[in-house]
Amino acid sequence: MFDLIHAHFDMADVRDPNLYFNIPGPWNVNATRPVHCDLGQIVYAGTKWNSQATYAHAPPPHYLRPTPNYLLVLTLEGTADYMDDTGVRCTLQPGTLVWSKPGINQSYGPQNGVRWSELFLWFNGSVFDAWQSAGFPGERSRVLELSPLPYWTDRLRRILQPPSDSPSDTSLSRLCHFQQWLADALQLDDTRHQTTETMQWRETAERMLARGRLGSPSLEQIAADLGMSYSAFRKRFVQMTGKSPGEFRADAIVLRACSRLLESTHTLARIADDLGFHDAFHFSRRFKQVVGMSPKDFRRQHTLR
């Protein structure tokens, strides 16, 4: 991995005027100590627009540099590579936020020939040390995805450079606003992960219910395999699908029966037994509820086509 990334480093264009300094963009931030109070401070905040600077700012052989402060890097445009000595490797895209603690050796920038824009902050203080003690950002850099991007940048810019036509907040107030910004970013990321986890749980539960026979494995066993009591499993499944686990499984098995009816000449009694129904009558009744016709009519109608 390092060899591939270093190939880009060696080709860095050290003549890029945006290597160390800001250049004009749609909006700009260039602020030394924009927030300073006893609890903490934002040491520096700046923007880079349309930059080609790759990794020439970090010395060989590892192209990593430490920072004595907490670091935020928010990608505004384009794409870039990020890596650090905690093992984090990622591609930065518009809306990607990287948050690192002091002392982490890191390097980032666009690959050769690619342009990229960023907003970055260095900050420190006892309040952020308390965040770190509580696990934020933790021993590894955190990578979050923020959207819509203008909402997040507008909020942050008001903290870093308050509008001249609005009453100026105290540094303590702005520091609190910055902490709220971080907390909201974490909450957004947690919500996104919870949504992904919820969908994965539903897909797993539905897959487990759809396989096997009508009564085997039992619904209680499926719930146990998911690490839940049956009552908790049933409640969560109903909330997500509008059906009980038993209803969903019966419907899924009826749909499997459709294939059996068309692909075999087995009797209804044989199909009912194979799929776990009590008898052909029970199977036919459930089949008609789901499909809208009896198994015999379904087989006859589709066989004649």
Side-chain angles (χ1 to χ4, degrees), residues 121-192:
L121 285 76
W122 302 329
F123 55 100
N124 60 39
S126 59
V127 68
F128 300 113
D129 294 337
W131 278 63
Q132 172 62 29
S133 297
F136 305 101
E139 296 306 309
R140 286 168 56 94
S141 299
R142 290 210 174 186
V143 181
L144 314 176
E145 300 296 333
L146 304 183
S147 63
L149 183 56
Y151 166 78
W152 293 94
T153 54
D154 288 349
R155 283 183 59 186
L156 191 54
R157 288 167 59 196
R158 292 182 69 88
I159 296 168
L160 300 172
Q161 297 177 326
S164 58
D165 59 350
S166 64
S168 58
D169 292 333
T170 65
S171 287
L172 178 58
S173 175
R174 290 163 62 199
L175 185 71
C176 292
H177 288 319
F178 178 52
Q179 292 181 80
Q180 186 63 59
W181 189 92
L182 290 173
D184 290 346
L186 289 169
Q187 183 177 19
L188 176 69
D189 194 64
D190 287 344
T191 300
R192 181 177 289 109

Side-chain angles (χ1 to χ4, degrees), residues 85-106:
D85 60 4
T86 71
V88 173
R89 304 285 190 277
C90 66
T91 298
L92 307 180
Q93 302 178 19
T96 303
L97 177 73
V98 178
W99 178 8
S100 299
K101 70 173 185 176
I104 287 181
N105 296 294
Q106 47 74 29

Side-chain angles (χ1 to χ4, degrees), residues 59-263:
H62 300 303
Y63 299 92
L64 296 174
R65 62 176 182 176
T67 173
N69 304 291
Y70 291 91
L71 169 70
L72 284 186
V73 180
L74 177 59
T75 298
L76 305 174
E77 296 176 339
T79 58
D81 294 323
Y82 173 88
M83 68 179 204
D84 63 35
D85 60 4
T86 71
V88 173
R89 304 285 190 277
C90 66
T91 298
L92 307 180
Q93 302 178 19
T96 303
L97 177 73
V98 178
W99 178 8
S100 299
K101 70 173 185 176
I104 287 181
N105 296 294
Q106 47 74 29
S107 197
Y108 60 89
Q111 297 181 357
N112 188 44
V114 178
R115 293 183 178 272
W116 174 67
S117 302
E118 66 166 312
L119 169 63
F120 62 94
L121 285 76
W122 302 329
F123 55 100
N124 60 39
S126 59
V127 68
F128 300 113
D129 294 337
W131 278 63
Q132 172 62 29
S133 297
F136 305 101
E139 296 306 309
R140 286 168 56 94
S141 299
R142 290 210 174 186
V143 181
L144 314 176
E145 300 296 333
L146 304 183
S147 63
L149 183 56
Y151 166 78
W152 293 94
T153 54
D154 288 349
R155 283 183 59 186
L156 191 54
R157 288 167 59 196
R158 292 182 69 88
I159 296 168
L160 300 172
Q161 297 177 326
S164 58
D165 59 350
S166 64
S168 58
D169 292 333
T170 65
S171 287
L172 178 58
S173 175
R174 290 163 62 199
L175 185 71
C176 292
H177 288 319
F178 178 52
Q179 292 181 80
Q180 186 63 59
W181 189 92
L182 290 173
D184 290 346
L186 289 169
Q187 183 177 19
L188 176 69
D189 194 64
D190 287 344
T191 300
R192 181 177 289 109
H193 284 305
Q194 289 171 7
T195 300
T196 301
E197 179 185 353
T198 297
M199 294 306 298
Q200 291 174 342
W201 183 90
R202 175 175 175 171
E203 290 173 1
T204 299
E206 289 180 346
R207 184 171 59 252
M208 294 173 71
L209 288 166
R211 68 191 182 196
R213 303 170 75 246
L214 187 59
S216 178
S218 68
L219 298 177
E220 289 76 13
Q221 182 59 53
I222 291 174
D225 290 342
L226 290 169
M228 310 174 71
S229 67
Y230 174 68
S231 59
F233 169 54
R234 187 183 190 283
K235 180 178 180 180
R236 185 177 185 185
F237 193 85
V238 170
Q239 288 175 340
M240 296 186 68
T241 68
K243 294 182 179 180
S244 71
E247 290 172 333
F248 178 89
R249 179 159 70 174
D251 291 349
I253 291 178
V254 164
L255 294 178
R256 284 168 52 196
C258 291
S259 297
R260 295 285 299 275
L261 288 166
L262 300 180
E263 296 171 1

